[in-house]
Each structure stands twice: as structure tokens, then as C-alpha cells.
mmCIF file of all heavy atoms in Angstrom:
data_model
loop_
_atom_site.group_PDB
_atom_site.id
_atom_site.type_symbol
_atom_site.label_atom_id
_atom_site.label_comp_id
_atom_site.label_asym_id
_atom_site.label_seq_id
_atom_site.Cartn_x
_atom_site.Cartn_y
_atom_site.Cartn_z
ATOM 1 N N ASN A 1 84.225 -66.316 -60.667
ATOM 2 C CA ASN A 1 83.441 -66.005 -59.459
ATOM 3 C C ASN A 1 82.497 -67.140 -59.090
ATOM 4 O O ASN A 1 82.128 -67.292 -57.932
ATOM 5 C CB ASN A 1 82.634 -64.721 -59.651
ATOM 6 C CG ASN A 1 83.509 -63.479 -59.718
ATOM 7 O OD1 ASN A 1 84.681 -63.518 -59.360
ATOM 8 N ND2 ASN A 1 82.949 -62.374 -60.186
ATOM 9 N N ASN A 2 82.122 -67.928 -60.099
ATOM 10 C CA ASN A 2 81.203 -69.047 -59.861
ATOM 11 C C ASN A 2 81.923 -70.395 -59.870
ATOM 12 O O ASN A 2 81.336 -71.437 -60.161
ATOM 13 C CB ASN A 2 80.087 -69.014 -60.905
ATOM 14 C CG ASN A 2 79.074 -67.935 -60.624
ATOM 15 O OD1 ASN A 2 78.138 -68.126 -59.843
ATOM 16 N ND2 ASN A 2 79.258 -66.761 -61.244
ATOM 17 N N LYS A 3 83.243 -70.331 -59.552
ATOM 18 C CA LYS A 3 84.045 -71.538 -59.293
ATOM 19 C C LYS A 3 84.305 -72.396 -60.520
ATOM 20 O O LYS A 3 84.329 -73.630 -60.432
ATOM 21 C CB LYS A 3 83.412 -72.365 -58.160
ATOM 22 C CG LYS A 3 83.300 -71.581 -56.854
ATOM 23 C CD LYS A 3 82.719 -72.405 -55.728
ATOM 24 C CE LYS A 3 82.617 -71.565 -54.445
ATOM 25 N NZ LYS A 3 82.021 -72.323 -53.326
ATOM 26 N N ALA A 4 84.497 -71.747 -61.654
ATOM 27 C CA ALA A 4 84.964 -72.498 -62.821
ATOM 28 C C ALA A 4 86.355 -73.044 -62.509
ATOM 29 O O ALA A 4 87.147 -72.406 -61.816
ATOM 30 C CB ALA A 4 85.024 -71.592 -64.047
ATOM 31 N N GLU A 5 86.643 -74.216 -63.040
ATOM 32 C CA GLU A 5 87.938 -74.858 -62.782
ATOM 33 C C GLU A 5 89.012 -74.159 -63.613
ATOM 34 O O GLU A 5 89.092 -74.342 -64.824
ATOM 35 C CB GLU A 5 87.863 -76.350 -63.128
ATOM 36 C CG GLU A 5 89.048 -77.134 -62.608
ATOM 37 C CD GLU A 5 88.911 -78.625 -62.847
ATOM 38 O OE1 GLU A 5 87.764 -79.125 -62.902
ATOM 39 O OE2 GLU A 5 89.958 -79.283 -62.998
ATOM 40 N N ILE A 6 89.850 -73.377 -62.953
ATOM 41 C CA ILE A 6 90.786 -72.481 -63.632
ATOM 42 C C ILE A 6 91.961 -73.223 -64.267
ATOM 43 O O ILE A 6 92.588 -72.731 -65.199
ATOM 44 C CB ILE A 6 91.278 -71.392 -62.651
ATOM 45 C CG1 ILE A 6 91.741 -70.142 -63.405
ATOM 46 C CG2 ILE A 6 92.346 -71.926 -61.726
ATOM 47 C CD1 ILE A 6 91.862 -68.924 -62.538
ATOM 48 N N LYS A 7 92.237 -74.434 -63.795
ATOM 49 C CA LYS A 7 93.373 -75.201 -64.321
ATOM 50 C C LYS A 7 92.944 -76.265 -65.326
ATOM 51 O O LYS A 7 93.750 -77.060 -65.798
ATOM 52 C CB LYS A 7 94.133 -75.842 -63.169
ATOM 53 C CG LYS A 7 94.773 -74.820 -62.228
ATOM 54 C CD LYS A 7 95.492 -75.470 -61.077
ATOM 55 C CE LYS A 7 96.082 -74.423 -60.133
ATOM 56 N NZ LYS A 7 96.751 -75.041 -58.972
ATOM 57 N N LYS A 8 91.661 -76.267 -65.663
ATOM 58 C CA LYS A 8 91.145 -77.287 -66.586
ATOM 59 C C LYS A 8 91.687 -77.026 -67.997
ATOM 60 O O LYS A 8 91.536 -75.936 -68.530
ATOM 61 C CB LYS A 8 89.624 -77.264 -66.601
ATOM 62 C CG LYS A 8 88.998 -78.536 -67.170
ATOM 63 C CD LYS A 8 87.496 -78.527 -66.948
ATOM 64 C CE LYS A 8 86.856 -79.833 -67.363
ATOM 65 N NZ LYS A 8 87.185 -80.937 -66.459
ATOM 66 N N CYS A 9 92.298 -78.036 -68.591
ATOM 67 C CA CYS A 9 93.000 -77.870 -69.871
ATOM 68 C C CYS A 9 92.315 -78.619 -71.008
ATOM 69 O O CYS A 9 91.512 -79.518 -70.781
ATOM 70 C CB CYS A 9 94.431 -78.403 -69.755
ATOM 71 S SG CYS A 9 95.447 -77.536 -68.554
ATOM 72 N N ARG A 10 92.684 -78.219 -72.226
ATOM 73 C CA ARG A 10 92.306 -78.995 -73.410
ATOM 74 C C ARG A 10 93.094 -80.294 -73.418
ATOM 75 O O ARG A 10 93.985 -80.508 -72.606
ATOM 76 C CB ARG A 10 92.616 -78.210 -74.682
ATOM 77 C CG ARG A 10 91.695 -77.052 -74.925
ATOM 78 C CD ARG A 10 91.927 -76.483 -76.298
ATOM 79 N NE ARG A 10 91.340 -77.310 -77.330
ATOM 80 C CZ ARG A 10 91.580 -77.199 -78.623
ATOM 81 N NH1 ARG A 10 92.429 -76.291 -79.065
ATOM 82 N NH2 ARG A 10 90.991 -77.979 -79.502
ATOM 83 N N LYS A 11 92.794 -81.168 -74.380
ATOM 84 C CA LYS A 11 93.499 -82.448 -74.461
ATOM 85 C C LYS A 11 94.986 -82.261 -74.740
ATOM 86 O O LYS A 11 95.795 -83.135 -74.464
ATOM 87 C CB LYS A 11 92.853 -83.333 -75.524
ATOM 88 C CG LYS A 11 91.475 -83.833 -75.100
ATOM 89 C CD LYS A 11 90.826 -84.722 -76.137
ATOM 90 C CE LYS A 11 89.466 -85.206 -75.657
ATOM 91 N NZ LYS A 11 88.779 -86.049 -76.664
ATOM 92 N N THR A 12 95.353 -81.117 -75.311
ATOM 93 C CA THR A 12 96.766 -80.803 -75.569
ATOM 94 C C THR A 12 97.446 -80.236 -74.325
ATOM 95 O O THR A 12 98.612 -79.870 -74.392
ATOM 96 C CB THR A 12 96.890 -79.766 -76.696
ATOM 97 O OG1 THR A 12 96.169 -78.593 -76.313
ATOM 98 C CG2 THR A 12 96.353 -80.304 -78.005
ATOM 99 N N ARG A 13 96.716 -80.139 -73.233
ATOM 100 C CA ARG A 13 97.162 -79.543 -71.974
ATOM 101 C C ARG A 13 97.301 -78.031 -72.072
ATOM 102 O O ARG A 13 97.964 -77.408 -71.239
ATOM 103 C CB ARG A 13 98.470 -80.187 -71.483
ATOM 104 C CG ARG A 13 98.285 -81.581 -70.894
ATOM 105 C CD ARG A 13 99.586 -82.159 -70.408
ATOM 106 N NE ARG A 13 100.180 -81.351 -69.355
ATOM 107 C CZ ARG A 13 101.478 -81.397 -69.031
ATOM 108 N NH1 ARG A 13 102.303 -82.165 -69.694
ATOM 109 N NH2 ARG A 13 101.933 -80.654 -68.049
ATOM 110 N N SER A 14 96.674 -77.427 -73.073
ATOM 111 C CA SER A 14 96.631 -75.966 -73.133
ATOM 112 C C SER A 14 95.668 -75.463 -72.066
ATOM 113 O O SER A 14 94.490 -75.790 -72.094
ATOM 114 C CB SER A 14 96.153 -75.497 -74.515
ATOM 115 O OG SER A 14 97.139 -75.738 -75.483
ATOM 116 N N SER A 15 96.177 -74.654 -71.158
ATOM 117 C CA SER A 15 95.352 -74.106 -70.086
ATOM 118 C C SER A 15 94.693 -72.801 -70.536
ATOM 119 O O SER A 15 95.094 -72.220 -71.545
ATOM 120 C CB SER A 15 96.229 -73.829 -68.858
ATOM 121 O OG SER A 15 97.162 -72.796 -69.158
ATOM 122 N N PRO A 16 93.686 -72.323 -69.801
ATOM 123 C CA PRO A 16 93.119 -71.002 -70.106
ATOM 124 C C PRO A 16 94.181 -69.901 -70.147
ATOM 125 O O PRO A 16 94.137 -69.019 -70.991
ATOM 126 C CB PRO A 16 92.125 -70.782 -68.959
ATOM 127 C CG PRO A 16 91.669 -72.165 -68.600
ATOM 128 C CD PRO A 16 92.905 -73.007 -68.740
ATOM 129 N N LEU A 17 95.183 -69.981 -69.242
ATOM 130 C CA LEU A 17 96.238 -68.960 -69.234
ATOM 131 C C LEU A 17 97.087 -69.041 -70.498
ATOM 132 O O LEU A 17 97.438 -68.015 -71.093
ATOM 133 C CB LEU A 17 97.116 -69.109 -67.991
ATOM 134 C CG LEU A 17 98.267 -68.099 -67.863
ATOM 135 C CD1 LEU A 17 97.740 -66.662 -67.874
ATOM 136 C CD2 LEU A 17 99.091 -68.359 -66.609
ATOM 137 N N ILE A 18 97.420 -70.243 -70.928
ATOM 138 C CA ILE A 18 98.230 -70.399 -72.140
ATOM 139 C C ILE A 18 97.509 -69.818 -73.349
ATOM 140 O O ILE A 18 98.112 -69.108 -74.161
ATOM 141 C CB ILE A 18 98.592 -71.881 -72.378
ATOM 142 C CG1 ILE A 18 99.784 -72.268 -71.492
ATOM 143 C CG2 ILE A 18 98.938 -72.143 -73.847
ATOM 144 C CD1 ILE A 18 100.253 -73.697 -71.630
ATOM 145 N N ILE A 19 96.213 -70.065 -73.472
ATOM 146 C CA ILE A 19 95.500 -69.557 -74.651
ATOM 147 C C ILE A 19 95.366 -68.042 -74.592
ATOM 148 O O ILE A 19 95.434 -67.368 -75.630
ATOM 149 C CB ILE A 19 94.119 -70.241 -74.839
ATOM 150 C CG1 ILE A 19 93.642 -70.074 -76.282
ATOM 151 C CG2 ILE A 19 93.083 -69.739 -73.866
ATOM 152 C CD1 ILE A 19 94.542 -70.675 -77.336
ATOM 153 N N ALA A 20 95.222 -67.464 -73.405
ATOM 154 C CA ALA A 20 95.176 -66.003 -73.278
ATOM 155 C C ALA A 20 96.513 -65.393 -73.690
ATOM 156 O O ALA A 20 96.560 -64.359 -74.366
ATOM 157 C CB ALA A 20 94.833 -65.605 -71.844
ATOM 158 N N CYS A 21 97.611 -66.043 -73.315
ATOM 159 C CA CYS A 21 98.955 -65.562 -73.682
ATOM 160 C C CYS A 21 99.213 -65.740 -75.176
ATOM 161 O O CYS A 21 99.865 -64.913 -75.809
ATOM 162 C CB CYS A 21 100.018 -66.310 -72.883
ATOM 163 S SG CYS A 21 99.984 -65.945 -71.115
ATOM 164 N N GLN A 22 98.693 -66.815 -75.738
ATOM 165 C CA GLN A 22 98.878 -67.074 -77.170
ATOM 166 C C GLN A 22 98.149 -66.041 -78.021
ATOM 167 O O GLN A 22 98.670 -65.571 -79.025
ATOM 168 C CB GLN A 22 98.370 -68.475 -77.507
ATOM 169 C CG GLN A 22 98.567 -68.859 -78.967
ATOM 170 C CD GLN A 22 98.142 -70.288 -79.232
ATOM 171 O OE1 GLN A 22 98.310 -71.178 -78.399
ATOM 172 N NE2 GLN A 22 97.576 -70.535 -80.396
ATOM 173 N N LYS A 23 96.944 -65.664 -77.602
ATOM 174 C CA LYS A 23 96.158 -64.702 -78.382
ATOM 175 C C LYS A 23 96.703 -63.285 -78.225
ATOM 176 O O LYS A 23 96.650 -62.489 -79.158
ATOM 177 C CB LYS A 23 94.684 -64.739 -77.953
ATOM 178 C CG LYS A 23 93.979 -66.047 -78.244
ATOM 179 C CD LYS A 23 93.894 -66.355 -79.719
ATOM 180 C CE LYS A 23 92.866 -65.525 -80.424
ATOM 181 N NZ LYS A 23 92.726 -65.887 -81.844
ATOM 182 N N GLY A 24 97.214 -62.974 -77.021
ATOM 183 C CA GLY A 24 97.877 -61.697 -76.786
ATOM 184 C C GLY A 24 97.112 -60.502 -77.287
ATOM 185 O O GLY A 24 95.972 -60.276 -76.912
ATOM 186 N N HIS A 25 97.747 -59.694 -78.179
ATOM 187 C CA HIS A 25 97.126 -58.460 -78.623
ATOM 188 C C HIS A 25 96.354 -58.619 -79.923
ATOM 189 O O HIS A 25 95.956 -57.648 -80.537
ATOM 190 C CB HIS A 25 98.188 -57.361 -78.786
ATOM 191 C CG HIS A 25 99.292 -57.721 -79.734
ATOM 192 N ND1 HIS A 25 100.600 -57.777 -79.347
ATOM 193 C CD2 HIS A 25 99.279 -58.057 -81.050
ATOM 194 C CE1 HIS A 25 101.365 -58.116 -80.372
ATOM 195 N NE2 HIS A 25 100.584 -58.288 -81.411
ATOM 196 N N THR A 26 96.143 -59.863 -80.384
ATOM 197 C CA THR A 26 95.410 -60.035 -81.640
ATOM 198 C C THR A 26 93.951 -59.641 -81.484
ATOM 199 O O THR A 26 93.283 -59.308 -82.441
ATOM 200 C CB THR A 26 95.489 -61.496 -82.135
ATOM 201 O OG1 THR A 26 95.007 -62.371 -81.110
ATOM 202 C CG2 THR A 26 96.925 -61.863 -82.469
ATOM 203 N N GLU A 27 93.438 -59.732 -80.269
ATOM 204 C CA GLU A 27 92.089 -59.277 -79.963
ATOM 205 C C GLU A 27 92.141 -58.570 -78.611
ATOM 206 O O GLU A 27 93.001 -58.851 -77.785
ATOM 207 C CB GLU A 27 91.105 -60.456 -79.903
ATOM 208 C CG GLU A 27 90.911 -61.158 -81.245
ATOM 209 C CD GLU A 27 90.006 -62.380 -81.113
ATOM 210 O OE1 GLU A 27 89.067 -62.345 -80.325
ATOM 211 O OE2 GLU A 27 90.270 -63.357 -81.817
ATOM 212 N N GLU A 28 91.225 -57.671 -78.366
ATOM 213 C CA GLU A 28 91.235 -56.918 -77.114
ATOM 214 C C GLU A 28 90.944 -57.823 -75.923
ATOM 215 O O GLU A 28 90.216 -58.793 -76.021
ATOM 216 C CB GLU A 28 90.184 -55.805 -77.170
ATOM 217 C CG GLU A 28 90.513 -54.719 -78.196
ATOM 218 C CD GLU A 28 89.480 -53.614 -78.206
ATOM 219 O OE1 GLU A 28 88.540 -53.683 -77.395
ATOM 220 O OE2 GLU A 28 89.613 -52.700 -79.039
ATOM 221 N N GLY A 29 91.529 -57.478 -74.788
ATOM 222 C CA GLY A 29 91.145 -58.114 -73.528
ATOM 223 C C GLY A 29 92.054 -59.219 -73.038
ATOM 224 O O GLY A 29 91.945 -59.624 -71.894
ATOM 225 N N HIS A 30 92.996 -59.713 -73.862
ATOM 226 C CA HIS A 30 93.730 -60.902 -73.460
ATOM 227 C C HIS A 30 94.740 -60.657 -72.341
ATOM 228 O O HIS A 30 94.953 -61.530 -71.505
ATOM 229 C CB HIS A 30 94.394 -61.542 -74.680
ATOM 230 C CG HIS A 30 93.405 -62.167 -75.610
ATOM 231 N ND1 HIS A 30 92.841 -61.474 -76.648
ATOM 232 C CD2 HIS A 30 92.848 -63.398 -75.629
ATOM 233 C CE1 HIS A 30 91.986 -62.259 -77.280
ATOM 234 N NE2 HIS A 30 91.973 -63.422 -76.683
ATOM 235 N N THR A 31 95.383 -59.492 -72.332
ATOM 236 C CA THR A 31 96.316 -59.186 -71.243
ATOM 237 C C THR A 31 95.562 -59.107 -69.924
ATOM 238 O O THR A 31 96.004 -59.643 -68.904
ATOM 239 C CB THR A 31 97.052 -57.853 -71.507
ATOM 240 O OG1 THR A 31 97.655 -57.915 -72.797
ATOM 241 C CG2 THR A 31 98.114 -57.610 -70.459
ATOM 242 N N GLU A 32 94.408 -58.467 -69.949
ATOM 243 C CA GLU A 32 93.574 -58.362 -68.743
ATOM 244 C C GLU A 32 93.078 -59.734 -68.302
ATOM 245 O O GLU A 32 93.066 -60.045 -67.108
ATOM 246 C CB GLU A 32 92.379 -57.438 -69.022
ATOM 247 C CG GLU A 32 91.594 -57.070 -67.777
ATOM 248 C CD GLU A 32 90.474 -56.080 -68.057
ATOM 249 O OE1 GLU A 32 90.430 -55.512 -69.169
ATOM 250 O OE2 GLU A 32 89.645 -55.885 -67.162
ATOM 251 N N VAL A 33 92.707 -60.562 -69.265
ATOM 252 C CA VAL A 33 92.270 -61.928 -68.955
ATOM 253 C C VAL A 33 93.401 -62.697 -68.277
ATOM 254 O O VAL A 33 93.194 -63.391 -67.274
ATOM 255 C CB VAL A 33 91.809 -62.668 -70.239
ATOM 256 C CG1 VAL A 33 91.701 -64.168 -69.994
ATOM 257 C CG2 VAL A 33 90.480 -62.120 -70.720
ATOM 258 N N GLY A 34 94.610 -62.565 -68.828
ATOM 259 C CA GLY A 34 95.766 -63.240 -68.240
ATOM 260 C C GLY A 34 95.983 -62.834 -66.795
ATOM 261 O O GLY A 34 96.243 -63.678 -65.927
ATOM 262 N N GLN A 35 95.863 -61.534 -66.507
ATOM 263 C CA GLN A 35 96.061 -61.056 -65.141
ATOM 264 C C GLN A 35 94.977 -61.572 -64.208
ATOM 265 O O GLN A 35 95.263 -61.930 -63.056
ATOM 266 C CB GLN A 35 96.089 -59.530 -65.115
ATOM 267 C CG GLN A 35 96.559 -58.951 -63.786
ATOM 268 C CD GLN A 35 97.968 -59.371 -63.420
ATOM 269 O OE1 GLN A 35 98.919 -59.052 -64.112
ATOM 270 N NE2 GLN A 35 98.110 -60.114 -62.325
ATOM 271 N N ILE A 36 93.739 -61.628 -64.696
ATOM 272 C CA ILE A 36 92.643 -62.180 -63.881
ATOM 273 C C ILE A 36 92.941 -63.626 -63.506
ATOM 274 O O ILE A 36 92.774 -64.037 -62.355
ATOM 275 C CB ILE A 36 91.296 -62.101 -64.646
ATOM 276 C CG1 ILE A 36 90.821 -60.652 -64.769
ATOM 277 C CG2 ILE A 36 90.219 -62.929 -63.939
ATOM 278 C CD1 ILE A 36 89.658 -60.469 -65.731
ATOM 279 N N LEU A 37 93.404 -64.407 -64.465
ATOM 280 C CA LEU A 37 93.711 -65.821 -64.210
ATOM 281 C C LEU A 37 94.844 -65.968 -63.204
ATOM 282 O O LEU A 37 94.780 -66.793 -62.285
ATOM 283 C CB LEU A 37 94.083 -66.512 -65.531
ATOM 284 C CG LEU A 37 92.950 -66.647 -66.557
ATOM 285 C CD1 LEU A 37 93.499 -67.046 -67.918
ATOM 286 C CD2 LEU A 37 91.909 -67.666 -66.089
ATOM 287 N N ILE A 38 95.887 -65.155 -63.358
ATOM 288 C CA ILE A 38 97.022 -65.198 -62.428
ATOM 289 C C ILE A 38 96.577 -64.788 -61.026
ATOM 290 O O ILE A 38 96.961 -65.415 -60.031
ATOM 291 C CB ILE A 38 98.164 -64.286 -62.930
ATOM 292 C CG1 ILE A 38 98.792 -64.878 -64.203
ATOM 293 C CG2 ILE A 38 99.231 -64.106 -61.853
ATOM 294 C CD1 ILE A 38 99.703 -63.937 -64.940
ATOM 295 N N ASN A 39 95.749 -63.750 -60.937
ATOM 296 C CA ASN A 39 95.239 -63.285 -59.637
ATOM 297 C C ASN A 39 94.435 -64.374 -58.929
ATOM 298 O O ASN A 39 94.322 -64.373 -57.704
ATOM 299 C CB ASN A 39 94.366 -62.045 -59.808
ATOM 300 C CG ASN A 39 95.165 -60.818 -60.221
ATOM 301 O OD1 ASN A 39 96.385 -60.807 -60.148
ATOM 302 N ND2 ASN A 39 94.476 -59.788 -60.687
ATOM 303 N N ASN A 40 93.884 -65.281 -59.721
ATOM 304 C CA ASN A 40 93.073 -66.374 -59.160
ATOM 305 C C ASN A 40 93.820 -67.706 -59.134
ATOM 306 O O ASN A 40 93.231 -68.776 -59.192
ATOM 307 C CB ASN A 40 91.763 -66.492 -59.944
ATOM 308 C CG ASN A 40 90.787 -65.388 -59.599
ATOM 309 O OD1 ASN A 40 90.032 -65.490 -58.636
ATOM 310 N ND2 ASN A 40 90.816 -64.302 -60.386
ATOM 311 N N LYS A 41 95.159 -67.595 -59.069
ATOM 312 C CA LYS A 41 96.033 -68.742 -58.810
ATOM 313 C C LYS A 41 96.130 -69.727 -59.954
ATOM 314 O O LYS A 41 96.311 -70.933 -59.747
ATOM 315 C CB LYS A 41 95.615 -69.444 -57.508
ATOM 316 C CG LYS A 41 95.674 -68.526 -56.292
ATOM 317 C CD LYS A 41 95.322 -69.225 -55.005
ATOM 318 C CE LYS A 41 95.384 -68.265 -53.824
ATOM 319 N NZ LYS A 41 95.009 -68.919 -52.552
ATOM 320 N N SER A 42 96.038 -69.226 -61.180
ATOM 321 C CA SER A 42 96.366 -70.075 -62.318
ATOM 322 C C SER A 42 97.856 -70.373 -62.275
ATOM 323 O O SER A 42 98.655 -69.518 -61.897
ATOM 324 C CB SER A 42 96.008 -69.362 -63.625
ATOM 325 O OG SER A 42 96.300 -70.173 -64.728
ATOM 326 N N ASP A 43 98.245 -71.587 -62.646
ATOM 327 C CA ASP A 43 99.655 -71.990 -62.621
ATOM 328 C C ASP A 43 100.393 -71.267 -63.748
ATOM 329 O O ASP A 43 100.230 -71.588 -64.926
ATOM 330 C CB ASP A 43 99.764 -73.512 -62.786
ATOM 331 C CG ASP A 43 101.183 -74.025 -62.611
ATOM 332 O OD1 ASP A 43 102.129 -73.206 -62.679
ATOM 333 O OD2 ASP A 43 101.361 -75.239 -62.437
ATOM 334 N N ILE A 44 101.233 -70.309 -63.395
ATOM 335 C CA ILE A 44 101.885 -69.441 -64.376
ATOM 336 C C ILE A 44 102.944 -70.177 -65.197
ATOM 337 O O ILE A 44 103.333 -69.719 -66.275
ATOM 338 C CB ILE A 44 102.492 -68.208 -63.667
ATOM 339 C CG1 ILE A 44 102.706 -67.050 -64.652
ATOM 340 C CG2 ILE A 44 103.769 -68.574 -62.935
ATOM 341 C CD1 ILE A 44 103.004 -65.728 -63.992
ATOM 342 N N ASN A 45 103.391 -71.328 -64.721
ATOM 343 C CA ASN A 45 104.418 -72.085 -65.435
ATOM 344 C C ASN A 45 103.914 -73.410 -66.019
ATOM 345 O O ASN A 45 104.704 -74.210 -66.515
ATOM 346 C CB ASN A 45 105.608 -72.354 -64.493
ATOM 347 C CG ASN A 45 106.320 -71.075 -64.093
ATOM 348 O OD1 ASN A 45 106.649 -70.250 -64.933
ATOM 349 N ND2 ASN A 45 106.531 -70.888 -62.793
#
């Protein structure tokens, strides 16, 4: 909501969406986080 750069990656090019997908169900909230990122035009591929 405050304009964080949604496509900003780690040096390995891991994006916020990739890390949310990697963590998955190991902790609560990751599926919802993934959907929020996609809704805000994170590059799904």
C-alpha cells in the first residue's frame, strides 16, 4: 500500500513471490501472501 517495490529481488533473483511459494504451508499466511502479490502485479513467471 505504501509502494514497496514488488519485483525487487535478492541477489539470487529470488522475488517476494518465489519466497512465498517456497515457504508454502510451513508457516501460516504464505498462500494469502502469494495471492496479495499476484493481485498487485507480481510477475508470476
Side-chain angles (χ1 to χ4, degrees):
N1 291 345
N2 285 276
K3 301 182 181 179
E5 193 175 332
I6 204 164
K7 296 179 182 178
K8 198 171 186 71
C9 298
R10 288 189 76 193
K11 290 181 179 178
T12 58
R13 285 181 61 201
S14 289
S15 66
L17 180 58
I18 279 180
I19 200 61
C21 293
Q22 182 176 325
K23 295 297 285 184
H25 57 240
T26 56
E27 295 176 36
E28 293 181 2
H30 290 91
T31 306
E32 190 176 349
V33 165
Q35 191 61 63
I36 290 169
L37 293 167
I38 291 168
N39 291 347
N40 285 275
K41 301 182 180 179
S42 181
D43 187 343
I44 201 167
N45 294 311

